[in-house]
Amino acid sequence: MFSNPTVPASTALCNPRRRQRTGSDDSVAVRQLPKRLKRSALTTETFQPLHQSLNGHLHKNEASPAANGHLRDKGSESPAAGENTSLAIRNRNSRKPEREKRSNRGDGSIELTKNDTYAVNRLATTPIQFQEQGNSENWHGNFAPSLGYAVATTPTHAFVWRYKQASNATASSKPIVVQLLHVANSSEDPLPLAVLVPSSPEPGLIIMMPVSGKISYWDSLSTAASVDRGRQKQQAIQGTVTGLATGEHISGITEAEPQGFLLTCTSGKIVHLTIADLQGKASIGTQILRNSGTEVGGIFGSLRNVFGGGGWLRDVVAVKAGNLLHKAQRECVVGTTKGLLQIWDMNWNGAHSLKCEVNAKSQLLKSIQDTGTFPRDSDNQFLKVLDVAFLPAVVTGQEVTSSTASSASRLLVLTVMSGANTTRYNLHVVNITRGEIDVPVVHPVTCYKSPLATGTAPKPQLLVPDPGQIAYIVFETSVVLVSLEEVEESPDSQLQTEARRVPDPFQDVLDLHKDKGYAIVGCTADVMEKEHRGSACTIMIHGYGVIRVNVASVEEGLTSADRTALTAETKLEQAVFYGSQQSLLDMSSRPEMQFATEDVRDAALRISRSITSSSSKHLSTAGPSMEQHLQKRATALADLIKHLRKNCHPLDHVTRWKLLGEAEKMAAARAIWRVYNDAVSHTQEGEKILLYELVECISEDNKTENRPEHHETDRVRHWLIKDVWRLEFVVPWAFKALDTLHRYSIEDGQPMSSAYRARLISQAYDLQLMALETAYSFRQTNASLYGFNEDDMFEGLLHRDYQDYHGVPQPWTSSSLVCESVQTLAEYFQTFASDQGPNSSDEEGVGPPEELLLKIAGKNARLIDTICKTHIERFQFLQSSDQSRTRKLGRDLEKQFSDPRKALLKGLADMGQLLAAIELGEKYKDMDALAEVLESEIQASHEELRDLTKAGDNPEEVPTMIATCEGFVDEFFDEYGAAWANAYFARFVAQDRISSLLTHGRKQRRHLTAFLRGHPECTNFRWINEVSVEGNYAAAADGLRSAQKQADTLWAKKIQVSISRLATMAAVSIQQKEADDVKPFLHATDGRLEVLSVQEQLHDYLKPTIRRALNDTPAKTEVVMEQYGKRFVKGKPALRGAMKLHVARMVEEKVLDAEDLADMITFMDEDGLDPDSDFAIRRFMVALQVVHLHADSTGDIASKELLEGIIWRRCIIQDDWASINRTELKDETKVEEETGATALFKTLREGFKSGVWDLNPPPTPSTLRGVGTTVSSLRTSSRYSDATDNALSVIAKDLEIEDSALETCIERGRLEEWWRGIVDAAQASARDEVDRHGEEVSKRVEAEQNFRAKTKNDRASRRDDGGEMKNAAAGRSRLETDEEGDVIMG
């Protein structure tokens, strides 16, 4: 029934004409060709036996199963190492190729990703046409790993090339193009299938048309690629797979044994294809696999053969070749989606037999249940087998046991449990022994849970390359890597198991970018060289080419536990260092492989630090281009944050701020390198470069030292490679290194020239500017990339009210060292520039070039701008602290910086950078600095103009400069209003030029009025401005009233109070104030004037004593204290100290408070006073009046009562009442005289005279006991509200002494008994004095009236005398007189 039928197996086994085999160890599939085409057999080096535990068993890869259907036995070998990668057709005299011994690092391949476990490389041998991403032509790929060749088929051609190449090859291979002998009838037909056949010296090629079943076989590629169509067809062995039903086609081809293949049909049929007959002659033979003679025979088996289509299986998903049982016999497995597994024995001569058939579904389900990962909704889950692969044979020692080779089959089965919303994949280790099935191990696939693709998508393929440590699951756009190793039993593993810390097995997923049209069209488990052992998988990708995934074997001395699940750091490193370098692999995180946020955070910070320190294994530490090296590291940092933001859980703002800081440093390092490179190219011979010397100066603790033994000599490049993360130590050293070099040159007796010094200053400026400006610019530009809102920043500075400022680490750009260094450098240059006058020069007579000074002056403005940023950033960081002490430090530093900033801007203007200084002042709203800069410039310009005018010059630039500055002044009044006015006018106040402001224009007058109203120290000018300019008497009065508190001298206070009263009355007169509203103020003002008048009287009284002293305040104070402070305050330290302070103020004519004035009056010794003086007589009454007036203005009744009691007590104890009480042998007159001479009597009499005691009777002596003698009683007065308890206790003790004296007067002087009599006597004396005074007044009035009457009469009599008098009177009759006769003038 077949076009080239083979001999049936039963006949072949007993055919007497069968040619005997030669007994060679070569594969039975390699036939002996005629002499002219004689070829040598291919051999391959197998891996060394491994002793790694695999599922608890030892294994070796001798007699290992075929991977992806390709043979890997002792008769196959790897491609030659020295073979040319060009695939030009070889001639007949080509030599046997040598074994390939290349390293994959030197084969021209491109590393797509790599970690400690595996590496992915793009092979450079892929033909160009298969690398084109936009290639829309469909093609299918296949590999022959033992031969090192790959084949790709299109509807019309087959392309063969050598994908394994020699190490000296660098270009992609030129493919052998084979035109197909047969083409599909329809474009919808499946692509042709191609497989390479081992042959010598080059492989053969089989092409199969899936629908028609037509087969073309060439025993060499040279004949297949013949351009002669006829010769190509003539040398092809052709055949056909007959019996394909309508709609049935061949879906796959698997290499089963030497020169034998298994064809899988869509109907489930399995066809055995051979390409040589029993004599070894090339021929095509096909035979359908039938299960006759199997272990499942019997009548039911026979019936199934008849009615079941000869044992054909439906839903076949796997046809794989396995262990090579003998040299001509191979084991194969066929699997279905429902879990049915068949083990077949295949023979080179076409014979086959079904070894066993088992249904593994129930065991597979049970094994999943035993893992504890069985889904809860298992009733809605469906188990499906996706693929089956042979595991390497179980070995004991070095040889395969006979029992294992004959009866045991070890499989790895890929299953999927799929439901409505869940998909779970598992790998099952299945042992089949004599029809019995065992599933000892299940490997759940946790890293990949994507649902299966539907439609025409290719089914997943399972590959288990030698030595069987790793399984590859190849989907259409993903490759899953699963470790098959298990943790060996040991004490450590038992402890880990009990502690639930057993490491997860290694798993990972390689995803292709789905939006670029990539798709896997072929794959194979590959054979690696001995020196690069591992589990490799080679994959052909549509639109990209060929890649190889190689999982390194576990090194000797390590266990399987050492290769555990990938960490967050490993995945991040892959995404960072490889994600943007290639377009194939999608490095975004899969939802199945999410890591804890803390792990991602820590990993991100470690990776960032490894980049800035070049400690990552993915970065080189040497190279010709430092710019490229820094760019690569900067790109890695950018890729890191992009990946984190796109694929990971949101990171906290502190972590993002740290990552941003590292990236800033990298950007700054690139800028520093550029300025250093420029300095190197322009430095003169013998001159040093600042950065080179700077790095040497940095402490060993803050840099990585060079290693001379490793020939590391370039300190700058070494620092840029290793220590960028410590950039904050370089910026401060810019000035320190400059100063050190200058100082050393002086110490060495060879001071550097001004020009050389200027160049070093310029380099220092460049270093600091490039570092800090680049950092701030980078921060602002990339704020959104790192998850910060750009609106929360201004030029790289977070706003003061930024809500997340709290908790972030201090920015490196504003450390105390950086702030101090940049400020010092700017000041250093300003001093240096000011010294470079017209007559300044070096010893050689040469100063720095003017253009260099101008260049640095231009940079000075930028540096001052940077200085302001660093300080502001520091203030805000400190003020965001939780600690009040730190916040206070931030506020203090902010206040302290205003003066240095002002000085810097002033220095900038003095260097000819006026506009830059104004611009910076406006930028940072420093009105004080602007006022100083502009006013200084205006004054200097006026002085210069006067000098030039005196010299007879007529300058034009100076008036222009004055007009420009005045224009700025006027403009700022409109733009900044009160802020500018306050700063501008404050400068006039400081220079005592405020009077000149009263003549300014209308615009400034408006702001001047507001300024004067807000500054009490300008009261003298305020009321003048209010009256003369504003005409506002009420405001003038208010200003004077509020300014009274600031007045210190007696005369100024009295004038202010008086003018305030006058202005208030004027305001009432012009109806600016209501009369009723001002009455309380006028009353209080009158009281203050009276108090001031009392102090003035006291000062006049003390003036004669004061004049006796030298013109020195302490001397005058001592003179007064000697005269009036010897007795009463003696032994009372608190009171004596208070009196001394009061005297000092009196001497200086300064104002005393009313309470202090009352104390001063009562402290004075009676002995020092003139007893007949009005002050001595009335002083205690005056003191009481002062207290009363003060209480009326303040309303402090408690203070009034306390001080009045103290005054009365002091009044009483001024005299010796015990002596007065001793009246024996004294007449009435004597007693009255002694009593009338006391201060008490005088005070009472003065009160009665003025009528004070009529409303407020004087207190009795007993009521004055204990007044002010306790701290609590003193606290009742507002006067002592801020005093400490210790201070009050001292005062209270002094007042206790006074209270003791009072008690003596009461007890020994019987003052309480005398009290009523003294009061009556004082009242009578006052009445008598009033009466006498009244009589005297009446007499004076009567005398004046008599005098006036007499004068009037005399005038009348004179008018009646002679005619002249009459005539004169007539002449003056028109004059009017008053009632007293006085003439009323005009």
Side-chain angles (χ1 to χ4, degrees):
M1 60 182 286
F2 301 106
S3 59
N4 292 290
T6 60
V7 180
S10 58
T11 307
L13 292 174
C14 62
N15 188 352
R17 294 186 296 171
R18 173 182 174 186
R19 184 172 61 88
Q20 299 297 317
R21 288 183 290 169
T22 62
S24 171
D25 289 340
D26 295 341
S27 173
V28 297
V30 180
R31 65 182 178 84
Q32 299 298 324
L33 298 175
K35 186 175 182 180
R36 65 183 181 87
L37 294 176
K38 185 175 181 181
R39 301 167 184 166
S40 300
L42 300 175
T43 61
T44 198
E45 287 189 14
T46 58
F47 293 111
Q48 294 294 329
L50 299 179
H51 300 282
Q52 174 64 43
S53 172
L54 179 67
N55 302 329
H57 300 286
L58 295 176
H59 75 279
K60 70 172 185 177
N61 52 1
E62 295 179 340
S64 61
N68 201 31
H70 298 296
L71 179 66
R72 292 197 305 273
D73 58 55
K74 291 183 178 181
S76 62
E77 67 172 7
S78 299
E83 189 172 352
N84 195 329
T85 57
S86 174
L87 291 183
I89 299 176
R90 298 166 180 78
N91 57 37
R92 296 178 181 178
N93 297 324
S94 61
R95 300 177 58 188
K96 179 179 178 181
E98 298 178 357
R99 184 174 61 87
E100 187 176 36
K101 295 182 179 180
R102 60 169 174 79
S103 169
N104 61 353
R105 295 181 180 177
D107 59 1
S109 61
I110 301 174
E111 193 173 71
L112 301 181
T113 186
K114 183 180 181 180
N115 56 39
D116 294 336
T117 303
Y118 66 85
V120 182
N121 293 278
R122 180 182 185 178
L123 304 185
T125 54
T126 308
I128 296 299
Q129 56 265 46
F130 295 108
Q131 298 181 21
E132 297 175 353
Q133 184 175 344
N135 188 355
S136 60
E137 183 179 17
N138 292 328
W139 47 281
H140 175 74
N142 201 356
F143 294 95
S146 60
L147 304 175
Y149 280 85
V151 58
T153 55
T154 69
T156 58
H157 292 81
F159 300 84
V160 183
W161 71 93
R162 187 172 179 79
Y163 76 92
K164 291 185 179 180
Q165 65 176 8
S167 60
N168 60 353
T170 59
S172 60
S173 299
K174 181 179 180 180
I176 297 175
V177 181
V178 179
Q179 186 175 1
L180 303 186
L181 298 181
H182 309 284
V183 295
N185 295 327
S186 171
S187 60
E188 302 296 329
D189 290 351
L191 291 172
L193 301 177
V195 65
L196 294 166
V197 181
S199 183
S200 180
E202 56 189 13
L205 176 65
I206 297 176
I207 301 293
M208 175 171 291
M209 306 305 295
V211 176
S212 65
K214 294 180 179 180
I215 303 172
S216 301
Y217 165 58
W218 294 271
D219 60 0
S220 68
L221 294 176
S222 58
T223 57
S226 175
V227 296
D228 186 343
R229 185 73 170 172
R231 185 171 180 274
Q232 180 200 27
K233 188 173 183 178
Q234 181 182 4
Q235 294 192 5
I237 308 299
Q238 300 188 54
T240 303
V241 178
T242 60
L244 296 177
T246 302
E248 181 184 15
H249 64 268
I250 299 170
S251 59
I253 181 170
T254 304
E255 183 180 354
E257 38 86 11
Q259 296 190 352
F261 304 89
L262 293 178
L263 308 179
T264 304
C265 300
T266 56
S267 63
K269 289 188 297 187
I270 308 298
V271 179
H272 186 193
L273 168 67
T274 58
I275 56 174
D277 58 15
L278 296 179
Q279 287 75 33
K281 182 179 179 180
S283 65
I284 301 296
T286 60
Q287 185 177 2
I288 299 176
L289 295 188
R290 301 181 184 278
N291 59 0
S292 58
T294 65
E295 296 180 5
V296 290
I299 184 171
F300 296 103
S302 300
L303 291 174
R304 188 172 64 182
N305 291 341
V306 174
F307 298 104
W312 301 347
L313 302 175
R314 297 292 181 181
D315 299 324
V316 173
V317 292
V319 177
K320 297 291 181 67
N323 299 324
L324 185 64
L325 303 179
H326 300 290
K327 294 181 179 180
Q329 186 178 2
R330 180 173 294 279
E331 190 177 50
C332 296
V333 63
V334 178
T336 68
T337 58
K338 296 181 180 180
L340 185 66
L341 301 176
Q342 292 182 341
I343 306 298
W344 292 81
D345 282 342
M346 309 300 299
N347 199 285
W348 69 276
N349 60 7
H352 58 270
S353 63
L354 180 61
K355 187 175 180 180
C356 68
E357 177 180 294
V358 295
N359 192 329
K361 184 174 182 179
S362 59
Q363 286 86 345
L364 295 176
L365 281 172
K366 183 177 183 303
S367 65
I368 297 175
Q369 292 175 343
D370 293 341
T371 62
T373 61
F374 199 71
R376 295 180 179 179
D377 55 343
S378 56
D379 294 339
N380 299 322
Q381 300 279 327
F382 301 94
L383 177 69
K384 181 188 295 185
V385 175
L386 299 179
D387 202 3
V388 181
F390 277 96
L391 285 171
V394 179
V395 297
T396 56
Q398 297 294 325
E399 300 297 334
V400 180
T401 61
S402 59
S403 61
T404 300
S406 60
S407 60
S409 299
R410 301 184 68 246
L411 306 174
L412 188 66
V413 179
L414 171 64
T415 64
V416 60
M417 287 283 292
S418 58
N421 300 312
T422 59
T423 303
R424 292 179 175 83
Y425 299 92
N426 292 278
L427 289 175
H428 308 255
V429 176
V430 177
N431 294 328
I432 301 177
T433 305
R434 296 184 178 88
E436 298 294 330
I437 183 171
D438 178 38
V439 185
V441 179
V442 178
H443 299 278
V445 179
T446 59
C447 65
Y448 186 87
K449 297 181 180 179
S450 299
L452 279 173
T454 58
T456 59
K459 70 176 185 66
Q461 298 189 55
L462 177 62
L463 306 175
V464 186
D466 288 337
Q469 298 173 343
I470 295 292
Y472 293 90
I473 307 173
V474 183
F475 295 87
E476 183 179 16
T477 59
S478 300
V479 179
V480 181
L481 291 70
V482 180
S483 173
L484 301 180
E485 300 165 302
E486 293 185 345
V487 179
E488 298 178 356
E489 292 187 2
S490 65
D492 291 341
S493 64
Q494 291 179 0
L495 291 175
Q496 289 179 338
T497 301
E498 294 174 359
R500 298 182 179 273
R501 293 186 301 179
V502 178
D504 295 330
F506 164 76
Q507 292 187 11
D508 200 4
V509 182
L510 299 174
D511 287 314
L512 307 185
H513 278 290
K514 297 180 175 59
D515 57 347
K516 296 186 178 181
Y518 296 133
I520 296 174
V521 295
C523 60
T524 185
D526 214 338
V527 179
M528 298 300 293
E529 299 83 352
K530 182 177 180 180
E531 60 268 27
H532 297 292
R533 292 186 305 172
S535 302
C537 171
T538 303
I539 300 171
M540 191 179 298
I541 301 173
H542 185 278
Y544 190 81
V546 178
I547 67 170
R548 176 183 290 132
V549 184
N550 183 29
V551 178
S553 299
V554 178
E555 298 180 1
E556 186 176 354
L558 300 178
T559 65
S560 58
D562 295 318
R563 180 161 66 192
T564 56
L566 294 178
T567 63
E569 185 171 356
T570 299
K571 296 299 292 181
L572 280 178
E573 283 183 332
Q574 288 182 265
V576 168
F577 293 105
Y578 297 102
S580 63
Q581 306 298 323
Q582 47 83 33
S583 61
L584 177 68
L585 300 179
D586 183 3
M587 296 296 182
S588 59
S589 301
R590 295 187 63 85
E592 303 94 333
M593 298 184 67
Q594 294 294 328
F595 299 95
T597 303
E598 294 78 9
D599 295 339
V600 175
R601 176 197 62 201
D602 296 341
L605 293 175
R606 286 194 297 269
I607 293 173
S608 179
R609 178 56 53 85
S610 71
I611 295 172
T612 54
S613 63
S614 296
S615 58
S616 172
K617 60 189 174 184
H618 300 285
L619 294 172
S620 63
T621 56
S625 175
M626 178 56 65
E627 177 65 28
Q628 293 181 3
H629 172 79
L630 295 173
Q631 174 62 48
K632 181 178 180 180
R633 292 161 66 189
T635 302
L637 291 173
D639 292 340
L640 173 61
I641 189 62
K642 289 177 183 177
H643 181 79
L644 290 170
R645 294 292 310 285
K646 180 180 179 180
N647 300 293
C648 300
H649 294 297
L651 295 175
D652 59 278
H653 71 285
V654 175
T655 302
R656 289 184 279 110
W657 185 260
K658 292 179 180 179
L659 295 175
L660 177 57
E662 298 274 325
E664 292 169 8
K665 292 180 180 179
M666 185 56 62
R670 294 180 61 198
I672 291 174
W673 166 253
R674 286 193 288 269
V675 298
Y676 170 75
N677 197 42
D678 182 69
V680 171
S681 61
H682 292 88
T683 299
Q684 300 178 9
E685 183 177 357
E687 292 186 347
K688 296 181 178 180
I689 301 176
L690 185 68
L691 182 59
Y692 191 82
E693 302 300 325
L694 181 155
V695 175
E696 181 66 19
C697 295
I698 298 177
S699 169
E700 296 179 358
D701 297 334
N702 298 324
K703 68 178 179 181
T704 304
E705 289 288 340
N706 284 6
R707 297 176 299 175
E709 66 275 12
H710 291 81
H711 309 287
E712 295 174 349
T713 58
D714 192 335
R715 64 181 68 154
V716 174
R717 283 180 170 84
H718 186 74
W719 179 86
L720 288 169
I721 291 172
K722 294 292 185 179
D723 295 312
V724 168
W725 62 280
R726 293 190 276 206
L727 182 62
E728 63 269 24
F729 296 106
V730 168
V731 174
W733 265 101
F735 170 73
K736 294 181 181 179
L738 170 65
D739 186 56
T740 301
L741 290 175
H742 184 218
R743 187 160 28 86
Y744 284 176
S745 68
I746 296 175
E747 293 176 358
D748 295 340
Q750 296 178 344
M752 62 178 62
S753 66
S754 296
Y756 178 24
R757 188 175 166 198
R759 280 191 286 272
L760 289 178
I761 292 175
S762 180
Q763 291 181 27
Y765 264 59
D766 289 339
L767 191 153
Q768 289 192 343
L769 282 173
M770 288 298 99
L772 296 174
E773 284 184 343
T774 302
Y776 285 122
S777 175
F778 181 91
R779 188 184 301 168
Q780 183 67 43
T781 304
N782 295 274
S784 59
L785 176 62
Y786 283 82
F788 298 98
N789 191 339
E790 292 183 3
D791 295 336
D792 292 332
M793 286 189 182
F794 172 73
E795 294 187 357
L797 296 181
L798 288 171
H799 292 313
R800 184 186 297 270
D801 56 351
Y802 177 58
Q803 59 182 358
D804 286 338
Y805 213 135
H806 174 71
V808 300
Q810 180 174 6
W812 68 273
T813 48
S814 59
S815 67
S816 59
L817 290 177
V818 171
C819 291
E820 178 183 355
S821 176
V822 290
Q823 179 179 331
T824 305
L825 179 60
E827 296 169 345
Y828 181 84
F829 170 70
Q830 289 185 355
T831 303
F832 174 78
S834 64
D835 294 339
Q836 307 306 312
N839 300 324
S840 63
S841 62
D842 298 328
E843 295 180 359
E844 302 175 356
V846 179
E850 183 177 357
E851 59 272 14
L852 179 58
L853 291 177
L854 291 175
K855 179 181 178 182
I856 304 176
K859 296 176 184 177
N860 191 253
R862 293 166 53 198
L863 189 62
I864 293 174
D865 184 22
T866 303
I867 291 170
C868 294
K869 289 181 181 178
T870 59
H871 281 78
I872 291 173
E873 189 173 52
R874 188 183 181 202
F875 306 152
Q876 294 179 174
F877 172 77
L878 293 175
Q879 292 172 20
S880 68
S881 173
D882 290 335
Q883 300 180 358
S884 58
R885 186 175 181 181
T886 305
R887 292 195 300 271
K888 182 179 182 300
L889 175 61
R891 291 191 296 269
D892 293 342
L893 291 176
E894 184 173 10
K895 295 177 182 177
Q896 295 169 11
F897 179 64
S898 60
D899 290 337
R901 180 171 57 194
K902 186 190 303 181
L904 288 170
L905 293 178
K906 179 65 168 57
L908 181 63
D910 292 341
M911 290 191 299
Q913 302 291 319
L914 175 63
L915 295 181
I918 293 175
E919 182 179 352
L920 288 175
E922 287 190 87
K923 179 178 180 179
Y924 294 104
K925 303 297 187 293
D926 194 339
M927 300 296 109
D928 292 337
L930 283 173
E932 181 167 349
V933 168
L934 287 172
E935 269 304 301
S936 298
E937 191 66 30
I938 292 174
Q939 291 183 31
S941 298
H942 279 296
E943 293 176 2
E944 183 180 1
L945 181 60
R946 285 193 298 267
D947 295 339
L948 292 175
T949 302
K950 289 179 181 180
D953 295 335
N954 187 19
E956 296 181 358
E957 296 180 357
V958 177
T960 302
M961 177 60 70
I962 295 174
T964 300
C965 293
E966 290 178 346
F968 277 117
V969 170
D970 291 339
E971 179 184 339
F972 291 165
F973 275 110
D974 293 333
E975 186 170 354
Y976 301 114
W980 165 249
N982 290 340
Y984 182 69
F985 295 137
R987 179 166 175 79
F988 282 81
V989 174
Q991 295 179 345
D992 199 19
R993 296 191 300 121
I994 192 170
S995 59
S996 63
L997 293 175
L998 299 178
T999 60
H1000 278 220
R1002 183 182 302 274
K1003 181 184 297 184
Q1004 293 190 16
R1005 285 181 180 177
R1006 177 170 55 88
H1007 292 287
L1008 177 61
T1009 299
F1011 171 78
L1012 294 176
R1013 289 177 178 175
H1015 292 75
E1017 67 274 12
C1018 302
T1019 301
N1020 293 335
F1021 294 96
R1022 175 187 173 182
W1023 76 267
I1024 296 175
N1025 180 74
E1026 296 285 4
V1027 173
S1028 62
V1029 178
E1030 302 294 337
N1032 192 336
Y1033 291 92
D1038 293 340
L1040 289 167
R1041 180 171 52 188
S1042 62
Q1044 293 174 14
K1045 298 178 181 179
Q1046 282 75 36
D1048 196 26
T1049 60
L1050 180 61
W1051 66 268
K1053 181 87 166 184
K1054 190 171 183 180
I1055 290 175
Q1056 285 184 352
V1057 174
S1058 300
I1059 297 177
S1060 174
R1061 189 178 190 283
L1062 180 63
T1064 302
M1065 296 176 65
V1068 173
S1069 66
I1070 60 176
Q1071 297 182 352
Q1072 290 182 350
K1073 285 182 176 290
E1074 295 293 335
D1076 293 339
D1077 295 339
V1078 301
K1079 284 182 179 180
F1081 167 73
L1082 293 176
H1083 178 71
T1085 300
D1086 292 339
R1088 281 191 288 270
L1089 287 173
E1090 289 187 34
V1091 172
L1092 292 174
S1093 179
V1094 170
Q1095 182 174 346
E1096 192 174 21
Q1097 294 174 19
L1098 178 60
H1099 184 269
D1100 292 340
Y1101 185 83
L1102 297 176
K1103 190 177 294 183
T1105 305
I1106 295 172
R1107 288 175 179 173
R1108 297 202 304 265
L1110 298 175
N1111 192 17
D1112 178 66
T1113 299
K1116 293 179 180 180
T1117 302
E1118 289 299 327
V1119 169
V1120 174
M1121 291 296 296
E1122 183 69 21
Q1123 177 75 20
Y1124 301 103
K1126 290 172 39 177
R1127 183 182 67 84
F1128 185 79
V1129 295
K1130 183 179 180 181
K1132 304 170 186 174
L1135 301 185
R1136 178 176 174 79
M1139 181 180 180
K1140 193 170 185 177
L1141 291 176
H1142 301 338
V1143 171
R1145 291 188 64 83
M1146 290 286 295
V1147 167
E1148 295 176 350
E1149 298 186 13
K1150 293 184 177 179
V1151 178
L1152 291 178
D1153 291 339
E1155 295 169 328
D1156 294 339
L1157 179 61
D1159 273 345
M1160 178 63 193
I1161 293 172
T1162 57
F1163 283 159
M1164 299 173 68
D1165 293 337
E1166 191 78 17
D1167 300 342
L1169 299 175
D1170 181 5
D1172 297 328
S1173 64
D1174 185 66
F1175 176 77
I1177 296 173
R1178 301 183 66 252
R1179 65 176 179 134
F1180 285 101
M1181 187 65 203
V1182 170
L1184 290 172
Q1185 289 176 345
V1186 168
V1187 173
H1188 177 73
L1189 292 172
H1190 178 69
D1192 282 350
S1193 62
T1194 61
D1196 190 354
I1197 303 302
S1199 297
K1200 172 178 175 290
E1201 293 176 350
L1202 175 66
L1203 194 53
E1204 280 183 343
I1206 293 174
I1207 292 172
W1208 276 109
R1209 185 171 61 198
R1210 289 173 182 170
C1211 177
I1212 293 172
I1213 65 177
Q1214 290 291 319
D1215 300 289
D1216 186 2
W1217 287 98
S1219 176
I1220 295 173
N1221 180 59
R1222 292 194 294 270
T1223 58
E1224 61 272 16
L1225 301 179
K1226 293 180 183 178
D1227 58 14
E1228 189 75 10
T1229 303
K1230 181 64 174 178
V1231 173
E1232 290 179 355
E1233 289 178 355
E1234 289 181 351
T1235 304
T1238 61
L1240 175 62
F1241 184 87
K1242 296 175 182 178
T1243 302
L1244 289 172
R1245 184 180 60 189
E1246 290 297 322
F1248 283 120
K1249 286 168 58 176
S1250 60
V1252 174
W1253 312 137
D1254 296 339
L1255 298 176
N1256 298 300
T1260 61
S1262 60
T1263 61
L1264 302 177
R1265 287 171 172 164
V1267 175
T1269 57
T1270 62
V1271 174
S1272 59
S1273 62
L1274 293 176
R1275 285 286 183 199
T1276 60
S1277 173
S1278 60
R1279 182 185 186 187
Y1280 302 113
S1281 59
D1282 296 331
T1284 63
D1285 289 345
N1286 291 335
L1288 292 181
S1289 64
V1290 175
I1291 296 174
K1293 287 181 180 179
D1294 289 353
L1295 294 179
E1296 285 179 1
I1297 297 175
E1298 295 182 0
D1299 197 61
S1300 298
L1302 174 65
E1303 192 65 30
T1304 300
C1305 294
I1306 294 174
E1307 293 180 359
R1308 298 177 60 185
R1310 297 191 303 152
L1311 186 59
E1312 192 69 27
E1313 300 175 17
W1314 282 71
W1315 177 254
R1316 185 68 261 172
I1318 294 173
V1319 171
D1320 293 341
Q1323 185 176 14
S1325 176
R1327 187 182 306 110
D1328 294 341
E1329 186 174 348
V1330 170
D1331 292 342
R1332 287 194 302 271
H1333 179 70
E1335 291 178 358
E1336 292 176 357
V1337 170
S1338 298
K1339 290 179 180 180
R1340 284 200 303 270
V1341 170
E1342 183 179 357
E1344 289 177 357
Q1345 290 176 351
N1346 293 333
F1347 177 77
R1348 287 177 180 273
K1350 182 176 180 302
T1351 302
K1352 185 177 180 181
N1353 293 331
D1354 291 343
R1355 289 176 179 174
S1357 62
R1358 285 196 296 271
R1359 284 197 298 267
D1360 295 336
D1361 290 342
E1364 292 182 2
M1365 292 294 293
K1366 293 180 180 180
N1367 293 334
R1372 295 192 299 270
S1373 62
R1374 63 180 181 272
L1375 298 178
E1376 297 181 2
T1377 60
D1378 58 14
E1379 60 182 4
E1380 295 181 357
D1382 295 330
V1383 177
I1384 300 175
M1385 304 300 295

